Amino acid sequence: MQYFRTPTYTETDLAGSGFGLTYQGRSAYDTRSELGARFDRAAMITPNSVLTLRGRAAWAHDWVSDPTLVAAFQTLPGASFIVNGATPAKDAGLISAGGELKFTNGITLSAKFDGEFAARSTTYAGTASLRYGW
């Protein structure tokens, strides 16, 4: 669960015309659930190395509470308007794929791709690493 809080804020109108804005503070929550599967498969490539392949496929759903802010001009009573925040997509597909190659001398090579695909957004990332353990 994520909790978002926007504090109350009042602009200062240096010109004195009274058209500074005042925002009421708000709180919003985002609860996310995921349903899917993870798989991995290890295989000995040589007597000195093991390759592990990993994959994940899932569906994610976000329950976002109301992300709106109410703003008002300080000297104009009743002249308020609503500011809508960027709302994440409700449903997304999640994909991960990667591999890890371990050698008996302590060296490990790994690479991974992660992606989140929704109607209005796409996020993806790649990671590669070289590790040495002794």
Side-chain angles (χ1 to χ4, degrees), residues 61-109:
H61 182 79
D62 280 286
W63 283 276
V64 180
S65 64
D66 187 11
T68 60
L69 283 176
V70 177
F73 290 106
Q74 295 169 4
T75 60
L76 296 173
S80 64
F81 56 94
I82 295 175
V83 178
N84 289 313
T87 305
K90 298 276 186 196
D91 296 300
L94 307 175
I95 300 291
S96 293
E100 179 180 77
L101 183 59
K102 281 188 175 185
F103 297 96
T104 56
N105 63 1
I107 294 177
T108 303
L109 301 170

